[in-house]
Amino acid sequence: MGAYDPATGVRRWHAELKRRGVTRMALSQGFLVTLSYACDGQRAYLNAFRAGSGVLVWEVQLSAPSQDMIVDDGVVVVDTRPDYETSTVAHRLATGARLWKLFGTRGHGLLSAGGRLLVRTQGDGSRAVSIVTGATIWTTREDWYAVGSDPAGSRFYVGGGKRGLTAIDAATGNRVWESDWPTPSVTADRDRVYVPRQRTVICLDAKTGRRLWAMHLPDGAGQPVRAGELLYSPSGLGAALSIVDAVTGRVRGGGMPSSDSHPPTVAGGRLLLTDGSRLRAYF
């Protein structure tokens, strides 16, 4: 794993993870946290590095292989693989120490909204729990799973209901609106929700769920990225990246090769793209 200067592409530091693959990475409070798996597929690890230097701060071997991770409020949460025990486990960001473990729950896409996690309980609906303590905040008989949340932490956007995408009040579990747009993931800002679906990105009003505009892509839609005034939408494998005005959907640029498996990153005035083997930077 390497860290690179966004202005020049020069490598700043390198950390060797022998015979491992990295599943998730997250930056928080000066830490770079990684979820990785051993090549034999039977072990998983959490590692925390100093983001600026690459110095290893701590490593934890997990009790079961895991496939998802999220970091929020100084807590790292992992979700076990479906073919192993069903559980959700939290660790302290600063030390790696375990904070809590819930058996019989699965995040099915770990997301935090205002320090709340939405987890599914085997045969018994869903519930929101505190990311710090694991305590239950509210429960529902609905088999919901989170596909997105808003920047303010006030909403979960969920799938798994009787209809399509549904907006949920993260504090209470009450429905705000429902739509007919099924989707595995969304990107949200304060006022809009961007839904990737087949070869289209659909923009919905965050208050009502009403469709505002839609943008067609050259291939299958990946996860859109909202940055500045723009929306960046990857498509297919090597298909052109679409860049549009986030409010109106009007085309503002794009054309560079993208990948629906690798969402773009915007940082330091640069657009960073990868196909999994090469990193490219654009002004």
Side-chain angles (χ1 to χ4, degrees):
M1 180 179 63
Y4 295 82
D5 189 300
T8 65
V10 173
R11 192 171 74 186
R12 292 183 174 178
W13 57 261
H14 176 75
E16 187 172 1
L17 301 173
K18 293 182 178 180
R19 298 186 59 78
R20 294 192 201 175
V22 177
T23 306
R24 295 285 188 270
M25 302 171 68
L27 280 166
S28 182
Q29 300 179 18
F31 292 94
L32 172 64
V33 185
T34 64
L35 172 64
S36 61
Y37 61 91
C39 290
D40 60 15
Q42 302 303 308
R43 290 164 293 160
Y45 301 86
L46 281 177
N47 290 82
F49 303 86
R50 295 291 179 191
S53 64
V55 172
L56 178 65
V57 180
W58 53 261
E59 177 179 277
V60 173
Q61 181 175 340
L62 302 176
S63 59
S66 300
Q67 61 184 15
D68 206 355
M69 176 190 77
I70 191 170
V71 181
D72 193 18
D73 277 358
V75 180
V76 184
V77 179
V78 293
D79 197 7
T80 54
R81 230 169 58 188
D83 51 338
Y84 284 78
E85 68 175 17
T86 304
S87 63
T88 310
V89 188
H91 296 261
R92 191 179 302 279
L93 174 61
T95 65
R98 183 186 289 184
L99 290 174
W100 52 263
K101 183 173 184 177
L102 298 177
F103 288 100
T105 63
R106 184 166 304 286
H108 195 91
L110 286 174
L111 286 166
S112 177
R116 310 172 190 92
L117 294 175
L118 183 63
V119 296
R120 305 167 84 181
T121 305
Q122 285 185 318
D124 194 27
S126 312
R127 55 177 156 153
V129 302
S130 165
I131 196 171
V132 176
T133 66
T136 298
I137 300 170
W138 51 260
T139 62
T140 177
R141 300 294 296 178
E142 295 285 350
D143 188 26
W144 284 336
Y145 56 88
V147 299
S149 58
D150 67 338
S154 63
R155 295 269 182 92
F156 281 119
Y157 296 103
V158 305
K162 296 179 181 178
R163 298 186 62 185
L165 178 70
T166 302
I168 302 298
D169 186 304
T172 64
N174 295 330
R175 287 180 177 86
V176 181
W177 50 259
E178 292 180 313
S179 79
D180 293 322
W181 308 104
T183 179
S185 63
V186 302
T187 298
D189 59 25
R190 184 186 65 182
D191 301 312
R192 287 162 293 276
V193 184
Y194 306 96
V195 180
R197 189 165 184 266
Q198 299 176 350
R199 298 177 66 169
T200 304
V201 173
I202 303 165
C203 177
L204 306 178
D205 186 301
K207 293 181 180 179
T208 65
R210 180 175 62 90
R211 173 172 161 162
L212 300 176
W213 52 262
M215 169 182 59
H216 296 290
L217 301 174
D219 206 336
Q223 180 81 41
V225 171
R226 173 77 164 83
E229 299 176 350
L230 303 176
L231 184 75
Y232 301 81
S233 298
S235 177
L237 180 59
L241 180 75
S242 297
I243 304 175
V244 301
D245 185 290
V247 176
T248 65
R250 184 171 53 192
V251 175
R252 295 282 293 273
M256 54 284 288
S258 67
S259 169
D260 59 353
S261 299
H262 302 283
T265 296
V266 180
R270 286 167 176 79
L271 168 66
L272 303 170
L273 294 169
T274 181
D275 55 8
S277 61
R278 180 186 305 173
L279 182 64
R280 305 185 306 277
Y282 301 85
F283 286 105

